[in-house]
Amino acid sequence: MADLDAFKEIHKIGTKYMKSEWYLRLANFPKAGVFTMLDPREHGPRRKLLSRSFSRSYLVDNWEVVVREKVLLAVMKIKADAIENTADVYNWWMLLASDISAHLSFGESFGMLEAGKVSTLLMMAIVRIF
């Protein structure tokens, strides 16, 4: 069962809880990104740099329409795959998260949802930036 209070306690800034190595499996990059960093001393400064742009109020006020469009596209792609055979939901959610993060960070999506695959060149560029 999900517990919102427990979630907030675990994920708050300055939490005493450590991320497990499971997070390292979320991305296949040689260097951990802000979402996959395990070391809080490394993650903290990076999170602080990005925190305002990813606050709930800022995202809702400025990006809800863009995010909603990308989510609907991902759902349509998943549905199309499922109708044909099977759908790799994990892959589509990773493409979705990458495109949304790119759009929020750089002002433009990488178009991976539209292409249906990860752009290796672009993902390697992101790793070097972060």
Side-chain angles (χ1 to χ4, degrees):
M1 179 160 74
D3 183 330
L4 184 57
D5 290 333
F7 178 87
K8 288 178 181 178
E9 174 65 26
I10 291 167
H11 294 284
K12 72 180 181 181
I13 294 174
T15 184
K16 63 183 177 183
Y17 300 100
M18 299 287 293
K19 287 182 182 176
S20 74
E21 291 192 7
W22 176 86
Y23 283 89
L24 297 175
R25 293 184 291 197
L26 292 177
N28 193 16
F29 308 123
K31 186 174 179 183
V34 71
F35 298 112
T36 57
M37 288 178 177
L38 301 182
D39 183 351
R41 292 173 305 217
E42 185 180 12
H43 179 262
R46 189 81 44 87
R47 179 177 174 167
K48 187 175 180 179
L49 283 172
L50 300 171
S51 64
R52 184 183 182 287
S53 298
F54 288 94
S55 71
R56 180 183 177 94
S57 59
Y58 182 84
L59 290 171
V60 169
D61 292 345
N62 297 284
W63 291 100
E64 182 177 9
V65 172
V66 171
V67 172
R68 186 177 301 274
E69 288 173 0
K70 292 187 184 314
V71 168
L72 291 174
L73 177 59
V75 170
M76 287 180 359
K77 297 282 193 165
I78 292 167
K79 182 178 179 180
D81 279 0
I83 289 170
E84 282 187 28
N85 189 10
T86 60
D88 183 349
V89 175
Y90 177 80
N91 180 61
W92 286 112
W93 285 149
M94 288 299 294
L95 297 176
L96 172 67
S98 298
D99 274 355
I100 289 173
S101 297
H103 204 131
L104 296 176
S105 300
F106 307 117
E108 188 172 327
S109 168
F110 290 144
M112 291 188 277
L113 275 172
E114 291 82 0
K117 63 181 182 177
V118 173
S119 169
T120 305
L121 180 59
L122 291 173
M123 295 313 280
M124 292 306 294
I126 290 171
V127 170
R128 290 185 182 174
I129 290 170
F130 293 106

